[in-house]
Amino acid sequence: MLGGNVAFAAFQWLSIIGIARLGSPKLLGEYTLGLALSAPILLFANLHLRSVLFTDSRSRYSFRDYFALRCITTTAALAAILVVPYFLGYDHGTLAVVAAVALSKAPDSFSDIVYGLLQKHERFDIVGQSMSIRGALGTVSLLLVLRLTGSVAVAALALCVVWALVFFAFDLVASRDFRPHRAGLSVPRPIFMISTLSALVRVAAPLGFASMLVSLLTNIPRYFIEGTLGTAALGVFAAQSYFLIAGSMVVNSLGQTFAPRMANLVAKGELDGFRLLLRRLVRFSVLLGIVGILAASLFGQQVLARLYGPEYVDRAIVLVLIMLAAAFGYLVNALGFALTALRQFRPQPFAFAAMVAASASSSALLVPARGLQGAALSMCFTNLVGVLLLAILLRIRYPRRSSPPSEY
């Protein structure tokens, strides 16, 4: 699982480096803006069904229920993404990039729900293999088409085609033994039972709302950067932010591995095992954050020059601040996985809503005054608020008895 997440993050990072090298900060900014505008809608529509599925130890819902809901929500999200940027007043070129990036994420959402099924059965090896394949083929196709056409929109469409092929040719094939009522290697036939899907939406909606808020946390500083400093500055900031994303992928891979087992331990009333896994995850998050800050302080300028080019070197202090924000962000991720394993879904949106408010207010204050440094400082403040709020929630919701917690 760790290998797959690291490989996927590395290839995604290589895509960013390739866009920076083949194009310019402005071109990279356009791609980043496409991600920033589409990600919150897609993540809300996904409803974090992957986590709901792999923590569903008692199998209250079938995989076909989850797949049916994912089909509905992904279709609705793509429609919304085509409409929202238009009303925000973006030009046709930006709209094309946003639409192409959103389409590239559609196959990703279907692979994601299959990953939830595989994680439930603790087949992390298959998930890791799929992520490695998707990362490698996606990056090659994206950069090759970008070099041939010079268009980010066309390159994103190529990425969509490749990820769709991986979903059909690998993910569905590898998951066939874990899909009940399977018909050979075909796509699972969704069951559109309104009462069942409505109940599943009620369970998953808090996590979907929380996922949207988490995406906004990442993108709110970017909205202010693009509006205040321009697309080129956004490209510079996005390039440096991928150091944070790479570390988050490592923490997420461990959290996704631990969470199903933590959920099973809680369901069985084995709280000592739950505490042990939580302590390990928190300690690793702290250690990774410290290593990231030290590495950025000592080698930040050299790394930025080699990876992206000289125009990124004079912003090296921004990288140090981003890694400080990352250290707090890793703890937010770890505590969020613990709450998810406890199936405490409803309290999480309130914590992330408070973080969004902190991000918006601090970005509005700091980005116009301090530029990219202000955006990084806003991230530090926001993630620190998140650590405190999630720690308080975990303290309140932590099970005191041997009985499993309520799903709500």
Side-chain angles (χ1 to χ4, degrees):
M1 190 70 175
L2 176 61
N5 275 276
V6 170
F8 188 80
F11 282 115
Q12 292 293 96
W13 198 350
L14 184 60
S15 298
I16 296 299
I17 295 171
I19 295 173
R21 289 289 188 177
L22 294 174
S24 63
K26 185 177 185 299
L27 192 67
L28 179 56
E30 292 178 355
Y31 182 73
T32 303
L33 184 61
L35 292 173
L37 291 174
S38 61
I41 298 173
L42 280 167
L43 285 174
F44 175 69
N46 281 349
L47 295 176
H48 223 301
L49 287 179
R50 176 178 175 177
S51 295
V52 179
L53 196 164
F54 70 62
T55 59
D56 189 5
S57 302
R58 301 176 183 179
S59 298
R60 292 180 174 89
Y61 304 96
S62 71
F63 176 70
R64 292 198 290 178
D65 294 328
Y66 289 100
F67 192 80
L69 186 56
R70 178 56 56 89
C71 291
I72 295 172
T73 57
T74 300
T75 303
L78 292 177
I81 290 169
L82 295 176
V83 172
V84 171
Y86 176 80
F87 285 102
L88 291 177
Y90 287 102
D91 57 47
H92 293 292
T94 301
L95 292 176
V97 172
V98 172
V101 170
L103 285 174
S104 73
K105 295 299 181 180
D108 181 64
S109 69
F110 290 109
S111 292
D112 178 75
I113 198 65
V114 173
Y115 292 168
L117 176 66
L118 294 170
Q119 284 178 251
K120 183 176 181 179
H121 294 276
E122 299 197 5
R123 290 305 307 268
F124 307 113
D125 54 334
I126 300 176
V127 178
Q129 292 164 14
S130 174
M131 295 188 72
S132 300
I133 294 170
R134 289 175 59 233
L137 296 181
T139 296
V140 170
S141 62
L142 178 74
L143 296 183
L144 179 61
V145 174
L146 178 63
R147 184 179 182 88
L148 292 175
T149 65
S151 169
V152 175
V154 177
L157 290 177
L159 180 64
C160 174
V161 172
V162 169
W163 279 0
L165 291 175
V166 174
F167 170 70
F168 286 107
F170 184 86
D171 296 340
L172 288 180
V173 174
S175 66
R176 66 185 184 275
D177 292 332
F178 309 103
R179 290 188 275 124
H181 310 291
R182 62 184 186 274
L185 306 180
S186 62
V187 177
R189 187 174 64 183
I191 301 177
F192 297 99
M193 296 289 294
I194 296 178
S195 59
T196 302
L197 296 183
S198 298
L200 183 54
V201 167
R202 288 195 295 271
V203 173
L207 273 185
F209 188 56
S211 298
M212 181 189 69
L213 294 175
V214 170
S215 178
L216 286 174
L217 291 175
T218 301
N219 291 307
I220 282 175
R222 299 182 180 189
Y223 299 148
F224 280 94
I225 291 171
E226 194 272 337
T228 305
L229 306 175
T231 307
L234 176 59
V236 173
F237 188 79
Q240 299 196 21
S241 296
Y242 259 81
F243 289 91
L244 180 155
I245 294 173
S248 295
M249 291 293 285
V250 177
V251 175
N252 286 341
S253 68
L254 291 180
Q256 290 163 0
T257 305
F258 281 16
R261 186 159 296 181
M262 291 167 74
N264 287 330
L265 290 170
V266 172
K268 296 175 183 177
E270 299 176 10
L271 301 185
D272 288 340
F274 174 86
R275 295 186 190 100
L276 176 62
L277 291 180
L278 176 57
R279 283 197 296 269
R280 288 178 177 175
L281 187 57
V282 168
R283 288 170 183 169
F284 180 84
S285 302
V286 172
L287 178 62
L288 182 64
I290 293 172
V291 170
I293 294 170
L294 291 176
S297 301
L298 297 175
F299 310 111
Q301 291 188 355
Q302 299 92 315
V303 171
L304 290 174
R306 286 186 175 274
L307 289 181
Y308 299 118
E311 61 266 38
Y312 296 86
V313 175
D314 60 346
R315 316 287 181 91
I317 184 61
V318 176
L319 178 60
V320 177
L321 294 174
I322 288 175
M323 296 314 298
L324 177 60
F328 295 126
Y330 301 153
L331 284 173
V332 170
N333 291 347
L335 297 176
F337 276 114
L339 285 168
T340 299
L342 292 170
R343 293 185 72 80
Q344 297 294 336
F345 301 149
R346 290 188 176 180
Q348 295 187 45
F350 296 100
F352 290 118
M355 292 176 65
V356 166
S359 178
S361 57
S362 58
S363 294
L365 179 66
L366 294 173
V367 172
R370 302 287 297 273
L372 298 186
Q373 292 185 33
L377 287 171
S378 171
M379 293 171 59
C380 292
F381 173 70
T382 301
N383 287 344
L384 178 58
V385 170
V387 171
L388 296 175
L389 290 176
L390 290 182
I392 293 171
L393 276 178
L394 188 60
R395 180 71 175 176
I396 294 172
R397 299 283 178 166
Y398 198 81
R400 303 296 177 184
R401 303 184 302 276
S402 296
S403 59
S406 167
E407 186 173 25
Y408 302 108

